[in-house]
Amino acid sequence: HLLLFLLFVGPFNCFASYSRATELFYSLNEGLPAGVLIGSLARDLRLPTAGGQHPASLQPPLSFTLASHGLGGQYVQLDNRSGELHTSAVEIDREALCVESSGATIFGGSAAVSSSSPSPESCLLLLDVLILPQEYFRLVKVKIAIRDVNDNAPRFPVPHIRLSVPENAPVNTRLAIEHPALDPDMGTNGVQTYRLRDNYGVFTLDVEENENGERTPYLIIMGALDRETQDEYVTVIVAEDGGTPPLVGSATLTIGISDINDNCPQFNDSQLNVTLYGNSSLGTHVATVHAVDMDLGSNAQITYSYSQKVPQPSRDLFHLNESTGIITLSTKVDGDTPKLHRLIILGNGPGCIPAVITVLVTIIKVMMRPPEVVPRFIANEVEGVVYLKELEPINTPIAFFTIKDPDEKYKVSCYLEGDGPFGLSPYKPYNNEYLLETTKPLDFETQQLYEISVVAWNSEGFHVKKVIKIQILDDNDNSPVFSEELIELSIEENNVPNAFLTKLHATDADSGERGQVSYFLGPDAPSYFVLDKTTGVLTVSTQLDREEKEKYRYTVKAVDSGFPPRESIATVTITVLDKNDNSPRFINKDFSFFVPENFPGFGEIGVISVTDADAGQNGWVALSVLNGSDIFVIDTGKGVLRAKISLDREQQSSYVLWIEAVDGGDPALSSTAKITILLLDINDNPPLVLFPQSNMSYLLVLPSTLPGSPITEVYAVDKDTGMNAVIAYSIIGRRGPRPESFRIDPKTGNITLEESLMQNDYGLYRLLVKVSDHGYPEPLHSTVMVNLFVNDTVSNESYIESLLRKEPDISVEEKQPQVSIEPTHKKMESASCMPTLVALSIISLGSIALVTGMGIYICLRKGKKHHRADENLEVQIPLNGRINLHMLEKKPVEISNI
């Protein structure tokens, strides 16, 4: 506040020309790291600097300051001197700063975040910057547009979406999916398309965009639906944005098919024949009619009624239960009752033509009263139906039956009629008492309803039936059963998240809740596999990498809802199929091989090892030489590098190759490695004498030359390296008046005069010099003739040349170099002086100094003498006989002082 006060109380004319508000507009992507340059205020405003037209002393330094460090100011850093604006350590998240459609500005003093201008999709960071000193004062409004990047994947608000479609929905029916995917990103980075993982051939998706740019997916019916054939479809809906690369999100979509009344009741039979005795009691069961409707709920409700064709007397005689279809005797049969009744019964469904069945009832008139069957039920009985649990043990009592003759004149017997695990036996010690009980285990899943009859007949042949219906009640005695105990699946690696794998299916023979199956993953299943508890849809929530793991094996459980619950287990195996997502990989980035020169052609230089983590064709690797293929070749299968020709180090000492490895994928991936081949020298080049250049050249040596003076030199080079190129010089043959007058330095090749020349030493001297290297295993050598003419002048050159053309008669001494060990022994002898000196010092303390000095003097003299002898030791190779200089044989020479 003090700063603003000073600015406005100063002389107005000092800053009137500069105190104008200015706007700068910048843009940058969200999520950038700290230190990214946004813009330079000084440069963009073209402010005067110290390097301008005015002297630097007249221009005070500019200062740039944020008017307030509010909420928006935390995202930027302003350099007070240069005016450069950079991103701060606080990362900018466009979706967190600018909430779409809010149109609000989040103020932070003079720095704010705005999403209201300049366009609906813009997200602006607003800053107020003060430029000082006073004479250059400006208030600059900086607007920074935050550009959206595709950093958010589409996400459905719920993981499971349910839709209900009537089974009679016509083709091209459109149903809006009420939970579209949300993507905080803007524009093309938002949700663009939807697709179904499995459309079952009857569904597709369409996307509609409203005026606000919101995209809503619509489910379109492409084929006929039938609830009775399939009542539910489960698939995965995938939303994809328009970013590069695109991001996706998914949810489970369950499409339920709702029932309509498209089925009518039907009877299994068209006619039913029934016999009824005339002495039957009221309420006697005559028959039961039953129709079936495939629809559900109220659409499947059936009522039964007599047709208008049934006469009224028949209606009065037989009662028809309109809900159950049970026909019972409602009035007594007398002598006027007709013997035959034709009952036409209608099965009525809502909106349907009734189904028709005919019941023919034949009445048999009797003169005597039939036997009576009186039941007394032990098991639970409701309206003539006995209910038994399927887990009831064998011999479970159901009912007692008392059989008697009303006239008490006839003997009455009893038996059981009908199939089922039931038995009727006399109950002793009582007469005419019978017990009905189970004889085998009951199984609801095998049969749920039994209809049996207890038949009583007397000695006159009259029969009476008591029909009993036994309904078996279900217990949770069955575990769920998977359609497959081993479920083998496969999926390509690098799959999209939440990829569909399969839909598990298990059935439970129990009814009701006891038969409802839920699905669970076993404890050995990795956490990124997801199994829908209700639908059994198995998905994988993350990308799989075959190179990390190729096989997955775990268990899944199907659990019913009974008490206690029962379960079964299946095994799921998933094979991750390979994709070519790994480039060939060399075990080293650089390979180096050391090869001796003159290595034979197509010899093995080295092995290039390369691997590819992919499998099959994707992991097959072919190697090739990118450069130098005219000299080198590589074995694709084994990676063996070979040279087509023999290599000479003296021509080229090293080679640098680039090897490319290409896999067999489509598209193929590749990598390269650098190969360095270094040639090791072998002794394949003899020394080359450069001077003298000819065996016919000569040099004049004056007789006055002093001993020890250099006369000339032999200079040679060797193309090899190392010890193979170390050269030694020696004179192997001499001819002349006094040939021992000259010696050669074995290291430098310098030829010097050893002794003074006398008058009788005049004449031509010919020295055969051997130039040898130190090569291993066999040194190589060359020879050269050094011609020296001792005289005062050269008066007759033709005479000298004629002497040179003659074949020299030089005696060459064949003598191997001798390494003398005498200096070593003599040095050891000098060491033996010390005990003597010690003994003498003990005898006479007075003479110790003299004796010691003389002993040291004698030892030093001997050491110097032998040392000089070592220095002058020269390998002399005397050669006997005559030699041919042009056919001189190369022989190894042992060098003792290497």
Side-chain angles (χ1 to χ4, degrees):
H1 296 293
L2 179 60
L3 175 62
L4 294 175
F5 176 77
L6 292 176
L7 288 173
F8 285 96
V9 299
F12 181 79
N13 58 357
C14 292
F15 59 92
S17 61
Y18 296 101
S19 59
R20 60 185 181 276
T22 308
E23 270 194 2
L24 289 177
F25 183 81
Y26 300 107
S27 63
L28 76 159
N29 291 341
E30 62 173 324
L32 294 177
V36 176
L37 178 64
I38 300 173
S40 175
L41 302 183
R43 182 189 64 214
D44 297 337
L45 293 174
R46 299 180 181 178
L47 295 177
T49 60
Q53 299 176 353
H54 303 286
S57 60
L58 300 179
Q59 297 182 19
L62 298 178
S63 174
F64 300 85
T65 309
L66 286 174
S68 176
H69 294 279
L71 177 62
Q74 65 178 322
Y75 299 104
V76 297
Q77 287 183 339
L78 177 63
D79 190 301
N80 294 337
R81 293 299 181 187
S82 65
E84 290 185 348
L85 199 61
H86 295 82
T87 57
S88 70
V90 181
E91 186 178 288
I92 299 176
D93 185 0
R94 185 186 186 283
E95 289 74 35
L97 290 176
C98 303
V99 182
E100 184 182 359
S101 76
S102 63
T105 301
I106 305 172
F107 290 98
S110 298
V113 177
S114 171
S115 60
S116 58
S117 66
S119 67
E121 293 186 355
S122 296
C123 176
L124 296 180
L125 187 67
L126 305 180
L127 306 172
D128 288 345
V129 180
L130 298 177
I131 302 178
L132 299 175
Q134 193 173 6
E135 56 267 28
Y136 296 108
F137 170 75
R138 284 193 187 188
L139 174 63
V140 180
K141 292 188 175 294
V142 179
K143 296 182 179 180
I144 303 174
I146 310 301
R147 294 192 296 265
D148 183 45
V149 298
N150 192 29
D151 56 347
N152 292 278
R155 186 177 62 86
F156 286 90
V158 293
H160 197 163
I161 303 173
R162 297 190 65 89
L163 281 180
S164 180
V165 182
E167 62 177 325
N168 65 339
V171 175
N172 294 326
T173 298
R174 300 170 66 88
L175 299 170
I177 297 177
E178 299 297 335
H179 300 285
L182 305 176
D183 193 328
D185 295 324
M186 297 293 295
T188 57
N189 291 333
V191 177
Q192 299 296 315
T193 61
Y194 291 86
R195 67 176 185 272
L196 291 177
R197 188 73 51 78
D198 185 0
N199 57 19
Y200 294 96
V202 293
F203 302 106
T204 188
L205 286 179
D206 189 18
V207 180
E208 290 187 2
E209 184 175 355
N210 59 17
E211 57 185 11
N212 295 327
E214 297 176 347
R215 295 174 180 265
T216 302
Y218 280 80
L219 182 71
I220 302 177
I221 311 301
M222 301 297 294
L225 303 175
D226 185 7
R227 187 205 64 80
E228 288 72 33
T229 302
Q230 185 168 351
D231 60 353
E232 186 179 75
Y233 297 86
V234 179
T235 185
V236 175
I237 182 172
V238 179
E240 183 175 306
D241 63 21
T244 304
L247 302 178
V248 298
S250 62
T252 301
L253 177 63
T254 301
I255 306 168
I257 310 302
S258 59
D259 185 53
I260 64 168
N261 191 28
D262 58 345
N263 291 279
C264 290
Q266 291 183 348
F267 287 106
N268 293 331
D269 301 311
S270 60
Q271 182 171 308
L272 190 61
N273 298 319
V274 179
T275 299
L276 181 67
Y277 289 102
N279 58 354
S280 299
S281 58
L282 297 179
T284 299
H285 179 271
V286 178
T288 300
V289 294
H290 180 68
V292 178
D293 193 321
M294 298 299 293
D295 292 324
L296 292 175
S298 60
N299 293 331
Q301 289 182 354
I302 301 174
T303 59
Y304 302 94
S305 62
Y306 285 123
S307 170
Q308 298 296 328
K309 298 179 180 180
V310 178
Q312 191 61 41
S314 297
R315 294 175 182 237
D316 295 339
L317 183 62
F318 301 104
H319 174 264
L320 174 63
N321 188 310
E322 64 177 9
S323 299
T324 63
I326 296 176
I327 303 172
T328 56
L329 185 64
S330 60
T331 59
K332 281 283 187 178
V333 177
D334 55 24
D336 297 331
T337 303
K339 294 182 179 181
L340 183 63
H341 296 267
R342 187 182 184 87
L343 306 178
I344 301 175
I345 300 174
L346 305 179
N348 305 291
C352 289
I353 298 174
V356 180
I357 187 173
T358 301
V359 180
L360 293 177
V361 182
T362 301
I363 298 178
I364 301 175
K365 293 185 178 181
V366 294
M367 299 303 296
M368 60 183 67
R369 291 187 296 175
E372 293 181 359
V373 179
V374 180
R376 288 171 293 167
F377 292 99
I378 302 172
N380 184 30
E381 182 266 340
V382 178
E383 296 183 356
V385 179
V386 177
Y387 294 92
L388 292 177
K389 292 183 178 180
E390 64 174 327
L391 296 182
E392 292 287 358
I394 300 175
N395 299 325
T396 296
I398 300 173
F400 278 114
F401 290 89
T402 302
I403 309 299
K404 59 183 179 179
D405 181 15
D407 298 327
E408 297 181 354
K409 295 190 298 184
Y410 304 102
K411 181 180 179 180
V412 180
S413 299
C414 182
Y415 65 92
L416 188 64
E417 185 180 84
D419 296 328
F422 308 102
L424 184 67
S425 59
Y427 190 74
K428 297 179 179 180
Y430 305 104
N431 295 324
N432 299 329
E433 295 286 343
Y434 293 85
L435 177 63
L436 179 64
E437 59 186 356
T438 61
T439 59
K440 294 180 181 179
L442 305 176
D443 187 4
F444 173 85
E445 289 71 34
T446 303
Q447 187 169 344
Q448 296 87 37
L449 181 66
Y450 294 91
E451 187 171 308
I452 58 176
S453 301
V454 176
V455 181
W457 59 282
N458 59 20
S459 57
E460 297 296 322
F462 289 97
H463 295 73
V464 173
K465 289 183 179 180
K466 179 64 178 179
V467 179
I468 302 172
K469 290 185 178 180
I470 300 177
Q471 176 68 53
I472 308 302
L473 301 178
D474 189 29
D475 277 310
N476 193 32
D477 61 337
N478 290 278
S479 299
V481 177
F482 280 100
S483 56
E484 296 176 291
E485 292 186 358
L486 178 61
I487 303 164
E488 297 179 325
L489 307 173
S490 63
I491 184 174
E492 279 194 344
E493 63 176 331
N494 304 330
N495 55 284
V496 297
N498 300 316
F500 174 83
L501 293 175
T502 189
K503 181 180 180 181
L504 302 181
H505 181 67
T507 57
D508 193 315
D510 295 323
S511 62
E513 291 185 354
R514 291 173 291 273
Q516 293 180 357
V517 179
S518 299
Y519 302 91
F520 301 94
L521 290 172
D524 54 345
S527 59
Y528 38 84
F529 288 98
V530 180
L531 179 59
D532 189 285
K533 174 182 177 181
T534 304
T535 63
V537 173
L538 180 63
T539 57
V540 55
S541 62
T542 187
Q543 280 191 350
L544 299 179
D545 186 358
R546 188 204 67 83
E547 289 71 39
E548 180 179 336
K549 190 170 184 179
E550 184 177 6
K551 296 281 188 179
Y552 293 88
R553 185 184 181 92
Y554 54 85
T555 56
V556 290
K557 295 191 297 184
V559 183
D560 64 22
S561 301
F563 183 81
R566 301 175 69 97
E567 65 181 39
S568 63
I569 296 177
T571 301
V572 175
T573 63
I574 300 175
T575 301
V576 183
L577 304 179
D578 185 53
K579 292 181 71 174
N580 193 29
D581 58 344
N582 289 277
S583 300
R585 183 177 180 181
F586 291 91
I587 61 171
N588 295 316
K589 293 183 180 179
D590 297 327
F591 292 83
S592 296
F593 298 107
F594 295 87
V595 182
E597 64 173 329
N598 301 333
F599 195 66
F602 292 97
E604 180 178 323
I605 295 176
V607 177
I608 312 299
S609 297
V610 62
T611 60
D612 194 312
D614 293 320
Q617 186 72 15
N618 295 332
W620 181 85
V621 179
L623 298 174
S624 60
V625 181
L626 296 181
N627 62 321
S629 58
D630 53 337
I631 301 177
F632 296 94
V633 66
I634 191 166
D635 187 333
T636 295
K638 298 180 180 179
V640 177
L641 181 65
R642 306 177 190 272
K644 300 178 182 178
I645 59 176
S646 180
L647 304 178
D648 187 359
R649 190 203 62 81
E650 285 71 37
Q651 293 184 2
Q652 186 170 343
S653 61
S654 65
Y655 296 86
V656 176
L657 305 178
W658 290 95
I659 303 297
E660 182 182 39
V662 182
D663 63 23
D666 185 18
L669 301 178
S670 64
S671 61
T672 58
K674 180 182 177 182
I675 313 298
T676 302
I677 301 174
L678 302 173
L679 297 182
L680 303 177
D681 184 51
I682 63 173
N683 195 25
D684 59 344
N685 290 280
L688 175 64
V689 179
L690 301 180
F691 184 84
Q693 297 178 354
S694 171
N695 289 333
M696 303 300 291
S697 63
Y698 66 93
L699 179 68
L700 176 66
V701 179
L702 298 177
S704 60
T705 303
L706 298 177
S709 301
I711 303 301
T712 185
E713 70 172 342
V714 177
Y715 180 68
V717 295
D718 196 313
K719 294 182 180 180
D720 296 320
T721 60
M723 296 304 297
N724 295 333
V726 175
I727 298 175
Y729 302 88
S730 62
I731 298 175
I732 62 173
R734 305 168 185 264
R735 181 174 177 80
R738 193 152 55 98
E740 66 274 4
S741 301
F742 300 95
R743 70 178 296 272
I744 189 168
D745 189 301
K747 294 182 180 179
T748 63
N750 292 331
I751 297 177
T752 57
L753 180 65
E754 284 290 289
E755 301 175 358
S756 299
L757 298 173
M758 303 299 178
Q759 188 168 4
N760 56 355
D761 295 335
Y762 285 36
L764 179 64
Y765 290 79
R766 310 198 73 178
L767 306 178
L768 179 60
V769 177
K770 179 179 180 181
V771 183
S772 176
D773 61 24
H774 287 64
Y776 180 83
E778 180 181 356
L780 302 179
H781 68 268
S782 301
T783 58
V784 66
M785 186 68 73
V786 178
N787 302 305
L788 302 175
F789 184 64
V790 177
N791 202 4
D792 293 324
T793 60
V794 180
S795 58
N796 191 349
E797 292 185 5
S798 60
Y799 170 71
I800 298 175
E801 291 174 358
S802 65
L803 292 177
L804 294 176
R805 282 192 292 269
K806 294 180 180 180
E807 187 70 26
D809 185 11
I810 298 178
S811 177
V812 179
E813 295 183 2
E814 293 284 352
K815 182 179 179 181
Q816 296 295 328
Q818 300 295 325
V819 179
S820 176
I821 61 174
E822 291 181 1
T824 305
H825 290 298
K826 292 185 178 181
K827 289 180 181 179
M828 293 176 64
E829 290 175 3
S830 67
S832 65
C833 295
M834 295 305 295
T836 305
L837 295 176
V838 173
L840 292 175
S841 65
I842 297 173
I843 297 171
S844 177
L845 295 176
S847 60
I848 186 171
L850 179 60
V851 175
T852 303
M854 292 179 65
I856 293 174
Y857 174 76
I858 295 172
C859 292
L860 292 177
R861 290 279 295 178
K862 291 181 179 180
K864 291 181 178 179
K865 180 179 179 181
H866 295 305
H867 180 65
R868 187 179 301 113
D870 290 341
E871 288 182 346
N872 296 333
L873 184 63
E874 181 177 324
V875 178
Q876 297 292 335
I877 307 177
L879 302 178
N880 297 322
R882 305 174 65 87
I883 65 170
N884 186 344
L885 296 178
H886 302 286
M887 299 296 293
L888 187 64
E889 181 182 1
K890 299 180 181 178
K891 293 186 178 180
V893 178
E894 294 183 3
I895 306 299
S896 63
N897 58 347
I898 294 179

